[in-house]
Amino acid sequence: MEVLTVEGIRSLDEQAKAGDVKKGYALMRTAGKALFEAAEEMLKSDGGAMPKNVAVALFIGGGNNGGDGLVCGEFLIQAGIPCTLYSLVAPEKFKGEAALAYKDFQKEGGRLVLMDTPEKASCLKSLDRYQLVIDCMLGTGGKGELREPYASIVRLINESKVPVLSADVPTGFTTIGESKLQAVRAMQTLMFGAPRLEAFTAQGLPYFGKAKVARLPYPEDLLKELSQGVYLMTEGDIPDLLPHRDECGEKRDQGCALIIAGSKDMPGAAALCTKACLRSGAGLVTLASPCSVMPVLQAKMSEPVFMSLEGATCFEPHHVQKLLAYTNHVQAVAIGPGLSLNDETRKAVIEFTANCKVPMVIDADGLNALSEDGLRNIKTAAILTPHRREFARLFGELPQDTCDLRETCKLIKEKAKDFNKTILLKNSPILIATPDEKIFVVLAANSGLAKGGSGDVLTGIITALLAQGCAPAVAAVLGALLHQKAGEVAREKFGAFSMLPSDVIESLPQVFLQAYGS
């Protein structure tokens, strides 16, 4: 799903209706109905039934965002759901599509409670009698600091404990970073037409809450015209991306992987990566690790083939030729988890990656061993999985503005194209850049995954997918989606404080069962 900038969304709206109020109103009705359906879903109990005595407070402004709210109010009335519609703009100021929406709202018997002055807004002391607040005050057109009565209403909404559904963008969010005024903190935001990148950032998440998208009937040629090659991927994409399983094939038909990982002080990284690879469908997984840690690894696991790197406590140059020869028997290689920062290991990584001919996932100490020259010497397809510090060491500092990710997207897109590599930036959200200048966005908001070893698990999952024939971009995107989903499952069971990377691995079967069926 194409992710657009604020400017892109505004342009999409304007071009789609091209000055035609009827076209614009048709889009508004589609958006308003989608907002009503989202509100209805939030009001329902766990059993799916609408509780008795529910009431909704709906706040609107005077623009198209307010018009969407008026349409939503019309549908609430039709559904018999009590709704108080508070307007921060006098009805005579509604223009264009919003004016049409107001007429239809009136036909259903709808009435407005005016809150168009600070004095009137101050009369509303509490929202406790409502079960849901719908925020339709300011949308993508909002700029600058919030003025009264908007600022007072936003404070009132945030001080209440009532769940909030925002339309398109939480009111006031566009001022974050420009001022210290509050924006609405929504439980859920329904974005119209296309997702906004800000909704999935570390700064945006507390305001947008759970961000969803209501597709609008925009012309495909307009979407292509405004495309910046940035796409939102969700767990709903997992079944379509999963590799085909050969039900009659033997183990080698399901993909063979080589994992080069571990050292004297970090055998756990090798174990986590290998277990995740095995849990993600690979038919045969070989773990190459120093002989000094093999007893520990063999005690932890029974399933992999073990290849001892003789005579050392870490990966060294004299191991390289043996491993390169072994790559003739595998479809994918992972290199890096727990390898150490030893100088000899660094030399071995540089030599191995420059001569390997099968697709690779390069992570952790594999990345730490390489420079830009080392990356350019890699001739095969490779997926790099840096976190922000590793990216900065390889390619230079990332922009510090974590809310506006456009510059970050631009930079990693340039590097992926320049080095002809797929880059998975471990970030919030995860950003995956491909050599053909596309960016895939995967939501990442789970503090339980912020623990040592989580990256090793991700590397193992991606390596298994590569071994099973997934293209690098697909393996990276699908691997990130599976990792995040398994992280959610583990969090539900153990909680963010207590869940471990090993719990994420043990949650993978549930994720695959849901997506694949068996």
Side-chain angles (χ1 to χ4, degrees):
M1 188 180 293
E2 182 72 38
V3 179
L4 298 181
T5 61
V6 175
E7 295 78 10
I9 290 171
R10 290 175 187 157
S11 179
L12 189 62
D13 259 340
E14 292 304 315
Q15 292 186 55
K17 59 189 181 185
D20 187 330
V21 174
K22 289 184 178 179
K23 280 185 181 178
Y25 189 43
L27 287 172
M28 181 174 284
R29 290 200 67 80
T30 302
K33 185 177 182 182
L35 188 64
F36 157 72
E37 290 170 350
E40 191 177 38
E41 194 63 32
M42 288 182 71
L43 287 167
K44 287 179 180 177
S45 63
D46 290 339
M50 183 65 68
K52 295 180 180 179
N53 303 319
V54 298
V56 176
L58 204 162
F59 292 90
I60 68 169
N64 285 348
N65 202 249
D68 298 333
L70 286 162
V71 174
C72 177
E74 177 189 338
F75 281 108
L76 286 167
I77 292 170
Q78 290 174 359
I81 299 173
C83 163
T84 305
L85 200 150
Y86 297 100
S87 178
L88 282 73
V89 173
E92 57 269 19
K93 292 186 178 179
F94 294 145
K95 305 294 181 186
E97 296 90 336
L100 294 176
Y102 179 57
K103 286 182 181 179
D104 285 341
F105 176 72
Q106 283 183 304
K107 287 177 185 176
E108 289 295 327
R111 296 289 181 268
L112 301 182
V113 178
L114 274 182
M115 293 279 173
D116 56 341
T117 67
E119 292 74 25
K120 291 177 182 176
S122 65
C123 294
L124 186 60
K125 302 294 185 183
S126 171
L127 299 173
D128 291 347
R129 68 187 183 93
Y130 299 106
Q131 283 68 54
L132 180 67
V133 169
I134 303 177
D135 161 34
C136 297
M137 291 180 283
L138 296 174
T140 54
K143 293 180 180 179
E145 293 186 2
L146 283 177
R147 293 173 294 184
E148 295 294 350
Y150 291 90
S152 293
I153 295 299
V154 167
R155 283 194 293 271
L156 177 68
I157 290 173
N158 286 342
E159 287 166 5
S160 77
K161 296 181 180 179
V162 183
V164 180
L165 169 63
S166 283
D168 215 20
V169 57
T171 292
F173 180 78
T174 51
T175 68
I176 299 299
E178 299 173 10
S179 73
K180 293 183 180 179
L181 289 179
Q182 290 178 307
V184 167
R185 290 178 177 264
M187 176 180 288
Q188 182 175 311
T189 299
L190 186 68
M191 298 175 286
F192 300 132
R196 294 179 54 171
L197 196 56
E198 302 98 314
F200 307 102
T201 64
Q203 190 173 14
L205 278 169
Y207 297 92
F208 282 81
K210 186 173 184 179
K212 296 186 176 181
V213 181
R215 299 301 295 268
L216 298 184
Y218 290 127
E220 287 298 320
D221 58 338
L222 280 183
L223 283 168
K224 289 179 182 177
E225 180 185 326
L226 293 164
S227 173
Q228 294 188 334
V230 181
Y231 303 91
L232 175 66
M233 308 300 294
T234 69
E235 65 181 68
D237 295 305
I238 291 174
D240 293 331
L241 296 176
L242 282 173
H244 171 71
R245 300 284 296 175
D246 183 352
E247 298 298 339
C248 299
E250 52 101 24
K251 60 193 174 194
R252 289 174 178 80
D253 296 323
Q254 316 301 349
C256 301
L258 169 64
I259 294 172
I260 306 169
S263 59
K264 178 173 65 73
D265 294 326
M266 290 182 285
L272 288 168
C273 184
T274 304
K275 284 185 176 181
C277 190
L278 287 161
R279 280 291 191 194
S280 300
L284 188 64
V285 179
T286 299
L287 172 58
S289 202
C291 61
S292 61
V293 299
M294 272 300 170
V296 174
L297 294 171
Q298 289 168 341
K300 284 176 172 288
M301 297 177 288
S302 303
E303 295 86 354
V305 175
F306 294 98
M307 181 186 291
S308 292
L309 303 180
E310 298 296 338
T313 59
C314 61
F315 180 36
E316 295 183 351
H318 64 89
H319 301 130
V320 170
Q321 289 308 311
K322 176 182 179 181
L323 292 174
L324 286 174
Y326 196 81
T327 60
N328 293 324
H329 308 290
V330 302
Q331 289 79 47
V333 173
I335 183 168
L339 278 184
S340 84
L341 299 175
N342 184 284
D343 286 342
E344 291 300 295
T345 299
R346 178 177 174 275
K347 294 174 186 176
V349 169
I350 293 170
E351 182 182 351
F352 179 88
T353 54
N355 292 282
C356 183
K357 295 180 181 178
V358 299
M360 289 185 286
V361 183
I362 306 175
D363 182 38
D365 289 334
L367 293 172
N368 290 329
L370 294 169
S371 63
E372 289 196 357
D373 288 340
L375 288 175
R376 292 193 190 281
N377 288 334
I378 298 172
K379 302 301 187 291
T380 190
I383 300 169
L384 316 180
T385 60
H387 52 57
R388 292 180 69 92
R389 292 187 302 280
E390 289 166 340
F391 185 97
R393 193 196 62 76
L394 275 170
F395 303 116
E397 291 292 335
L398 285 160
Q400 294 303 307
D401 188 345
T402 58
C403 181
D404 186 352
L405 288 179
R406 282 176 291 184
E407 288 304 312
T408 298
C409 286
K410 180 181 177 183
L411 179 58
I412 66 170
K413 189 187 294 187
E414 288 174 355
K415 297 303 180 183
K417 180 183 178 183
D418 185 22
F419 288 88
N420 195 31
K421 302 291 181 289
T422 298
I423 300 175
L424 185 155
L425 179 63
K426 290 183 279 198
N427 190 60
S428 181
I430 293 168
L431 301 173
I432 299 158
T434 60
D436 59 351
E437 299 186 89
K438 290 185 175 66
I439 297 279
F440 298 95
V441 180
V442 175
L443 179 60
N446 183 348
S447 64
L449 286 172
K451 292 182 179 177
S454 287
D456 305 318
V457 174
L458 175 61
T459 295
I461 297 170
I462 296 172
T463 305
L465 298 171
L466 268 184
Q468 292 170 84
C470 289
V474 175
V477 170
L478 179 55
L481 289 170
L482 291 167
H483 187 246
Q484 290 298 314
K485 183 59 180 175
E488 288 178 19
V489 173
R491 180 172 178 149
E492 287 172 6
K493 186 174 182 179
F494 298 103
F497 283 90
S498 297
M499 62 181 278
L500 298 172
S502 55
D503 298 324
V504 178
I505 296 171
E506 297 312 312
S507 299
L508 283 168
Q510 181 176 332
V511 177
F512 281 109
L513 279 170
Q514 289 174 351
Y516 189 73
S518 63

